[in-house]
């Protein structure tokens, strides 16, 4: 009604005023509508990202639980299938009839039982070492990795070497264990799938970051492959690596070397105030 | 036209009353500033109807008050320190110059320039406020914030009346003039937005339609 009255005014100023006012109002309303719709779109986008992150977390958690279960099953199987029969056999040698046997037979039985118990001790030691490598516990990450690589090289199937540049003092035991497990898993994958002739590991630091890099010349993964496997239901080991690194706020990158000859895996960790990875 | 004038006169009562009813949720400095502005606006309307002779001086003073209240409101709600400093400096320059011109210029004439400049400055502050909200990564629905409704009210009122202030000398001061009808209508709308700001529930949960349906299709980008 007002605008109608204004529009009918034949004054030039009125026209400018009319158009100016309408234009300003249209611009303002347009701006506000744009802001509201833009914000709704941004929120939807953020929600989707959050959803994806939650799914990823769920998958990592599942992977970690499955890994734990598999580890438990392996230990149970080792104990049940190896230690159990060994101890049962030792018990047979040491049964009540032993006292009724002649001296030579008694000595033979005791000797056999002792041998079996020694084997069992060795077996349990092996299980315990696989749970927590003593080199890692006593001498640190560098020695444990060198030890692991020496064993691989010793097998003759692959040449493995490692070099730690900035590892002057030991990290937190839990941190070292996590890093070692990640390296172990990566090495396992390389041994199983890559068909490479060598693995070389280097460690160094740069600014507030702690890097571990591994090179190999076999078939490897790129970051895209890693992300694909991480989102799929396969690649349990990779998910496990991801969940372990998440604890340390670390990241992992898979890439093909510039020369397209080597595959490179980089583990990146952030150092805390003491200069050690968190 | 008189209906719009009447609405404009009585519309401040609504946010004033609701401010007190929902005092607990409105007891924040920036909202108290808006409350004081509405009160000043209401008292100015009353004064304009009582003092026919001093209308121009009342309008002069109200222009300065209006600018100061809005500038202070945006100073409080904008987070960028540099822009807050800019608001402060621009406000000082504007207020000193406006007071000087009001004193030196004709006392019986509405200061169109000061009103227009004040409107432009507040529009700039409001647009910056919206820009800041848009770039804020925090997940909060913008229209659940009272600041949004206040900024919207300011923006619509000042953008709609900017040309009116610029051409004040060309139109007559009679309240029956349709142009003043626009001013009164926008003033009423502004007061309605302020009312929404005072009654709106600060609910930080997401409204319907935002529930995550598990669809992880990332083809839709926000920009």
């Amino acid at each position: 009604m007002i605008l109608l009255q204004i529009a009918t005014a034949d004054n030039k100023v009125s026209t400018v005023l009319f158009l100016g006012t309408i234009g300003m109002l249209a611009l303002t309303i347009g701006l506000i509508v744009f802001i509201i719709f833009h914000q709704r779109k941004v929120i939807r986008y953020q929600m989707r990202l959050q959803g994806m992150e939650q799914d990823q977390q769920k998958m990592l958690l599942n992977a970690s639980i499955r890994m734990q279960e598999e580890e438990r099953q392996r230990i149970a199987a080792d104990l049940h299938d190896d230690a159990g029969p060994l101890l049962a056999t030792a018990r047979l040698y040491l049964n009540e009839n032993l006292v009724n046997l002649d001296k030579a037979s008694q000595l033979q039985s005791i000797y056999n039982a002792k041998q079996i118990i020694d084997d069992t001790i060795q077996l349990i030691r092996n299980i315990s070492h696989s749970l927590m490598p003593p080199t890692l516990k006593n001498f640190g990450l560098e020695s444990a990795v060198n030890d692991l690589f020496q064993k691989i090289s010793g097998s003759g199937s692959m040449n493995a070497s490692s070099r730690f540049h900035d590892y002057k003092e030991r990290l937190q035991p839990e941190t070292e264990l996590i890093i070692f497990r990640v390296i172990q898993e990566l090495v396992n994958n390389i041994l199983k799938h890559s068909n490479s002739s060598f693995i070389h590991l280097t460690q160094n630091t740069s600014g507030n970051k702690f890097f571990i890099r591994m090179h190999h010349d076999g078939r490897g993964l790129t970051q895209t492959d890693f992300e694909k496997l991480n989102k799929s239901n396969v690649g349990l080991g990779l998910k496990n690596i991801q969940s372990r690194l998440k604890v340390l706020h670390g990241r992992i990158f898979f890439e093909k070397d510039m020369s397209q000859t080597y595959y490179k895996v980089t583990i990146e960790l952030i150092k805390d105030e003491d200069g050690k990875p968190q | 036209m008189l209906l719009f004038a009447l609405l404009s006169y009585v519309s401040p009562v609504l946010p004033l009353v609701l401010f007190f009813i929902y005092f607990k949720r409105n007891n924040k400095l920036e909202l108290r500033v808006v409350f004081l502005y509405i009160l000043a606006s209401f008292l100015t309307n009353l004064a304009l109807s009582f003092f026919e002779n001093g209308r121009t001086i009342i309008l002069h003073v109200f222009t300065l008050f209006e600018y100061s209240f809005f500038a202070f409101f945006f100073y409080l709600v904008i987070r960028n320190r540099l822009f807050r400093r800019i608001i402060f400096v621009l406000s000082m320059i504007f207020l000193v110059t406006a007071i000087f011109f009001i004193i030196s210029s004709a006392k019986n004439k509405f200061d169109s320039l000061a009103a227009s400049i004040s409107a432009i400055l507040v529009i700039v502050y409001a647009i910056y406020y919206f820009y800041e909200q848009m770039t804020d990564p925090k997940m909060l629905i913008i229209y659940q914030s009272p600041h949004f409704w206040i900024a919207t009210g300011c923006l619509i009122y000042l953008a709609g009346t900017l040309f009116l202030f610029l051409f004040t000398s060309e139109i007559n001061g009679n309240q029956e003039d349709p142009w003043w009808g626009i001013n009164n209508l926008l003033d009423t709308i502004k007061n309605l937005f302020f009312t929404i700001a005072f009654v709106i529930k600060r609910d930080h949960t997401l409204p319907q339609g935002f529930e995550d349906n598990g669809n992880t299709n990332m083809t839709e980008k926000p920009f």
Side-chain angles (χ1 to χ4, degrees):
Chain A
M1 192 65 186
I2 308 168
L3 296 177
L4 207 68
Q5 285 182 39
I6 291 161
T8 50
D10 50 5
N11 192 328
K12 209 175 177 182
V13 175
S14 288
T15 316
V16 176
L17 231 146
F18 173 71
L19 292 176
T21 305
I22 291 292
M24 287 298 283
L25 280 172
L27 274 174
T28 309
I29 293 165
L31 175 76
I32 290 159
V33 170
F34 167 76
I35 289 165
I36 291 172
F37 277 94
H38 174 271
Q39 229 229 356
R40 288 174 75 97
K41 222 172 181 181
V42 170
I43 290 167
R44 279 210 186 93
Y45 183 73
Q46 284 181 341
M47 292 285 296
R48 231 173 254 151
L49 276 182
Q50 255 188 7
M52 280 179 76
E53 209 163 287
Q54 277 171 3
D55 288 348
Q56 180 81 1
Q57 296 268 19
K58 246 187 237 169
M59 278 174 92
L60 287 178
L61 188 68
N62 282 343
S64 148
I65 292 168
R66 269 170 64 189
M67 205 73 178
Q68 269 184 21
E69 284 305 319
E70 277 180 13
E71 189 75 0
R72 280 178 192 164
Q73 276 174 19
R74 193 182 62 75
I75 297 165
D78 281 355
L79 290 172
H80 181 267
D81 301 345
D82 296 336
L86 283 172
L87 290 170
T89 317
R91 189 176 176 275
L92 279 177
Y93 280 113
L94 302 172
N95 65 7
E96 297 84 7
N97 271 342
L98 191 66
V99 287
N100 302 324
L101 295 175
D102 59 275
K103 197 119 186 166
S105 300
Q106 275 183 352
L107 281 170
Q108 184 60 43
S109 288
I110 291 168
Y111 177 76
N112 287 345
K114 186 180 164 283
Q115 281 286 92
I116 291 167
I117 289 167
D118 283 347
D119 287 350
T120 314
I121 290 169
Q122 189 56 45
L123 178 81
I124 288 168
R125 187 178 284 162
N126 288 345
I127 293 171
S128 146
H129 287 184
S130 75
L131 290 176
M132 177 70 191
T135 331
L136 178 69
K137 193 179 168 191
N138 300 327
F139 305 105
L141 185 65
E142 186 177 0
S143 305
V145 170
N146 284 337
D147 199 34
L148 174 73
F149 277 35
Q150 263 170 23
K151 276 180 192 155
I152 295 168
S153 286
S155 72
S157 60
M158 192 183 281
N159 184 15
S161 59
S162 66
R163 197 181 170 104
F164 280 66
H165 293 284
D166 302 306
Y167 182 77
K168 290 176 186 78
E169 52 181 312
R170 287 192 60 180
L171 316 174
Q172 296 282 334
E174 310 85 60
T175 310
E176 283 195 336
L177 182 63
I178 291 174
I179 298 173
F180 184 71
R181 290 289 181 228
V182 170
I183 293 171
Q184 246 184 344
E185 187 62 49
L186 288 170
V187 168
N188 259 348
N189 283 350
I190 293 169
L191 290 173
K192 266 200 312 201
H193 307 292
S194 77
N195 210 12
S196 61
S197 65
F198 80 87
I199 315 173
H200 182 62
L201 180 146
T202 50
Q203 176 278 330
N204 62 342
T205 56
S206 170
N208 69 334
K209 285 177 180 166
F210 179 98
F211 292 104
I212 286 177
R213 290 191 179 88
M214 285 168 77
H215 287 81
H216 68 89
D217 63 343
R219 280 195 311 274
L221 291 179
T222 58
Q223 194 64 17
T224 326
D225 300 330
F226 172 67
E227 277 161 17
K228 255 188 214 162
L229 284 167
N230 236 348
K231 279 172 195 158
S232 70
N233 287 327
V234 290
L236 188 65
L238 293 175
K239 286 190 191 77
N240 206 37
I241 289 174
Q242 182 86 325
S243 67
R244 282 186 202 275
L245 287 175
K246 207 155 197 167
V247 177
L248 299 180
H249 305 291
R251 295 192 295 175
I252 189 161
F253 305 101
F254 291 81
E255 58 194 307
K256 204 166 185 182
D257 203 82
M258 296 283 272
S259 61
Q260 299 287 309
T261 326
Y262 309 116
Y263 277 92
K264 192 162 91 177
V265 188
T266 309
I267 302 167
E268 182 192 293
L269 303 165
I270 310 289
K271 290 196 284 187
D272 61 12
E273 285 156 4
D274 304 332
K276 292 174 180 179
Q278 289 169 345
Chain B
M1 286 315 111
L2 281 173
L3 173 70
F4 289 125
L6 186 69
L7 274 175
S8 171
Y9 270 69
V10 295
S11 64
V13 178
L14 193 62
L16 289 177
V17 171
L18 287 166
F19 177 84
F20 281 113
I21 292 175
Y22 297 101
F23 184 72
K24 240 183 182 175
R25 69 172 74 148
N26 294 321
N27 192 15
K28 286 179 188 153
L29 182 58
E30 65 272 18
L31 297 183
R32 275 184 270 160
V33 169
V34 177
F35 168 79
L36 286 176
Y37 161 74
I38 302 166
L39 190 65
S41 158
F42 182 61
L43 293 175
T44 306
N45 281 345
L46 282 180
L48 284 172
S49 38
F50 281 113
F51 306 104
E52 278 291 324
N53 294 334
R55 283 180 70 90
T56 319
I57 198 77
I58 292 169
L59 285 173
H60 278 158
V61 174
F62 180 68
T63 303
L64 297 183
F65 268 111
E66 184 177 59
Y67 173 80
S68 307
F69 282 124
F70 285 157
F72 189 44
F73 168 77
F74 284 110
Y75 180 84
L76 292 172
V77 295
I78 285 172
R79 280 189 292 272
N80 185 299
R81 281 189 179 179
L82 178 69
F83 200 82
R84 280 160 66 122
R85 260 181 229 158
I86 291 172
I87 292 179
F88 182 75
V89 173
L90 285 178
S91 300
M92 286 300 122
I93 296 171
F94 169 73
L95 289 173
V96 169
T97 341
I99 290 168
F100 174 75
F101 275 105
I102 286 168
I103 293 166
S104 59
S105 66
K107 286 192 172 57
N108 55 351
K109 205 177 149 200
F110 176 70
D111 190 3
S112 163
L113 189 67
S116 309
I117 291 173
S118 94
I120 290 168
L121 286 175
V122 176
I123 288 170
V124 171
Y125 303 158
I127 289 172
Y128 184 82
Y129 164 77
F130 284 129
Y131 166 76
E132 202 177 66
Q133 292 300 303
M134 278 170 73
T135 51
D136 187 2
K138 270 195 290 178
M139 257 200 357
L140 184 74
I141 314 292
I142 194 168
Y143 43 83
Q144 281 183 347
S145 156
H147 304 158
F148 167 80
W149 292 101
I150 291 164
T152 306
C154 292
L155 195 61
I156 288 180
Y157 171 67
L158 293 170
T161 52
L162 178 65
F163 274 77
L164 198 66
F165 293 153
L166 280 170
F167 290 94
T168 311
S169 53
E170 308 292 334
I171 52 177
N172 75 56
N174 189 346
Q175 281 293 321
E176 283 179 34
D177 190 309
W179 288 113
W180 290 113
I182 284 201
N183 178 56
N184 293 333
L185 179 66
L186 290 172
D187 189 45
T188 310
I189 290 171
K190 176 194 71 187
N191 285 327
L192 284 175
F193 278 126
F194 288 175
T195 309
I196 296 172
F198 289 152
V199 297
I200 197 158
K201 232 180 167 183
R202 276 66 152 174
D203 186 5
H204 290 220
T205 53
L206 290 170
Q208 275 192 341
F210 280 117
E211 288 88 1
D212 183 32
N213 51 11
N215 178 11
T216 50
N217 175 18
M218 292 296 294
T219 48
E220 196 185 357
K221 291 264 165 75
F223 304 105

